[in-house]
């Protein structure tokens, strides 16, 4: 019925094409200026946090273990949108005011940090004990063995799940629209609010997310091949 | 060279080493035999401090660790460097080539000059017969070749004592010889070695002394000919009849 009404009206069709064309630039701009940087910065901060958290979880120091556990449990047990709202709308009531973009970075980094820490922890634990012992036996310290022997192997193991985390993050950044970051999805909302072509704009923005994620999955495949070279 | 006194090791409830006393002179090769679970691996691992003994004193070259009192973490690495460990399952670093495996210790731990380390590593790999496999990853090498890389990797740290834990028991029979040959060469060069193995041929040809362990203690020790042909203890006799 909807399609009928479109094709019955050639003027409407050309209007839709016109809107789609005109909105492409602001949407891509939203992607390039906000969505992609937000993803990259949050992912990098998140991975650093994740490695630290994973190390805390496997350390012998009980309080560190405990802090890491609580952090992971709290982040995994609460909705991402609620976390973002706490940071952006909640904290100002106790005098902590953070701009939309940094708020989003904090929220997404904390999120990636928690989820990825579980991936990295599992990857570290999957490396045979003999590898630690081989490192120690040639005189390496714990940090040396970790850096030179364990993490290079663990990163290979954790690459596929971490790429999935990354791709999910690209899509999750659309939630930043709710805390006023003018990333791609928020731009789509804003444009649609002026011309009421909601379906068109949301389909368009969906398509752009899809293309980005598709390209990323190709990169992921290549990376995995490259890292596979030292295993049979 | 090595002197162990009253070495005990307990895992939770299980006492695995029940007082080991052992002296090994410089340049001697000691072969350790004994039934499964008798504590052979645990004893080697205690020498390399991969296990922390419950009590006892270990003396190697001019250093000693007294486990009857608490020891600090910082004492372990310098002590560990006195011994080189060769594992039953090789434990090579799979993400590094043969050459990188051998260079890793001197570069990362000793912080030696990379070019000099490389030269020495090439020499070591050539010595163990792998001069043409420098850039191979472990998965591209046979078990025997991997174990020889493992020996070269341990030697690269210039240990005073080499410890071998059943270095050939994971190998196909036709690959055992090449590893034993490398070990014999080492013995002939005067390396002090403690070798857990059931390769009687190696014990007869290269060992200065054979130890028989059972139940966490050394039951009997002596020249290889003496132990193999006329063991004194009943348990040694039983064990030898099982493996020969
Ligand atoms: N980390 C550990 N925790 C608990 N028990 C252990 C541990 N390592 C070894 N054991 C136990 O200690 C005993 C001696 O083990 P060890 O590996 O030293 O024997 P072994 O003489 O080397 O035997 P094998 O010939 O089978 O290699 C075994 O009963 C084993 O189950
Ligand atoms: Mg053993």
């Amino acid at each position: 019925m909807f399609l009928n009404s479109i094709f019955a009206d050639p003027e409407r069709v050309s209007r839709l094409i016109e809107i789609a064309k005109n909105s492409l630039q602001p949407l891509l701009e939203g992607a390039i200026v906000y969505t992609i940087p937000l993803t990259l910065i949050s992912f990098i901060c998140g991975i650093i946090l994740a490695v630290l958290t994973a190390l805390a979880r496997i350390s012998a120091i009980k309080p560190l273990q405990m802090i890491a556990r609580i952090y992971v449990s709290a982040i995994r047990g609460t909705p991402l949108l609620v976390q973002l709202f706490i940071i952006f709308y909640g904290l100002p009531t106790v005098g902590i005011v953070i701009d939309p973009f940094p708020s989003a970075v904090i929220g997404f980094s904390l999120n990636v940090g928690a989820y990825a820490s579980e991936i990295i922890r599992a990857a570290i634990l999957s490396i045979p004990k003999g590898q630690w012992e081989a490192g120690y036996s040639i005189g390496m310290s714990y940090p040396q063995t970790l850096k030179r022997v364990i993490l290079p192997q663990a990163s290979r193991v954790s690459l596929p799940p971490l790429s999935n985390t990354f791709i999910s993050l690209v899509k999750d950044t659309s939630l930043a629209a709710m805390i006023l970051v003018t990333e791609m999805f928020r731009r789509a909302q804003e444009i649609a609010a002026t011309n009421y072509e909601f379906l068109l704009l949301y389909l368009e923005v969906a398509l752009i997310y899809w293309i980005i994620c598709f390209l990323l999955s190709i990169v992921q495949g290549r990376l995995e091949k490259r890292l596979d070279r030292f295993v049979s | 060279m090595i002197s162990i006194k009253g070495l005990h090791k307990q895992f939770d409830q299980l006492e695995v080493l029940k007082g080991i006393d052992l002296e090994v002179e410089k340049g001697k090769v000691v072969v350790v035999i004994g039934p499964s679970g008798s504590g052979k691996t645990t004893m080697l691992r205690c020498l390399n401090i991969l296990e922390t003994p419950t009590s006892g004193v270990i003396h190697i070259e001019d250093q000693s660790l007294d486990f009857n009192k608490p020891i600090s973490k910082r004492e372990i690495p310098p002590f560990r460097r006195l011994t080189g460990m060769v594992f039953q399952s090789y434990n090579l670093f799979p993400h590094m080539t043969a050459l990188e495996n051998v260079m890793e210790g001197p570069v990362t731990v000793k912080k030696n000059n990379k070019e000099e380390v490389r030269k020495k590593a090439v020499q070591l790999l050539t010595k163990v017969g792998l001069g043409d496999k420098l850039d191979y990853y472990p998965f591209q090498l046979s078990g025997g070749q991997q174990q020889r890389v493992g020996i070269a990797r341990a030697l690269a740290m210039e240990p005073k004592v080499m410890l071998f834990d059943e270095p050939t028991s994971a190998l196909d029979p036709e690959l055992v010889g090449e590893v034993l040959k490398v070990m014999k060469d080492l013995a002939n060069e005067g390396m002090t070695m403690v070798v857990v193995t059931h390769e009687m041929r190696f014990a007869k040809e290269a060992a200065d002394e054979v130890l028989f362990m059972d139940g966490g203690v050394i039951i009997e020790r002596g020249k290889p000919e003496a132990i193999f042909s006329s063991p004194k203890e009943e348990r040694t006799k039983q064990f030898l009849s099982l493996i020969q």
Side-chain angles (χ1 to χ4, degrees), chain A residues 129-131 133-140 144 148-149 152-153 229-232, chain B residues 45 48 80 85 87 91-96 104-105 108-109 111 137 139 153 157:
Chain A
K129 214 171 120 241
Q131 289 292 309
E133 295 182 344
Y136 293 152
S137 79
I138 56 168
M140 289 175 144
Q144 283 171 337
R148 301 283 309 167
V149 178
Q153 296 181 62
R229 74 179 192 283
F230 53 74
V231 288
S232 42
Chain B
R45 290 166 60 85
N48 199 230
R80 199 174 258 151
M85 183 83 164
F87 300 91
N91 295 355
L92 294 185
F93 306 130
H95 57 302
M96 299 182 192
E104 185 59 29
T108 301
V109 179
K111 312 247 186 278
Y137 283 92
F139 79 90
R153 177 177 68 180
M157 291 302 285

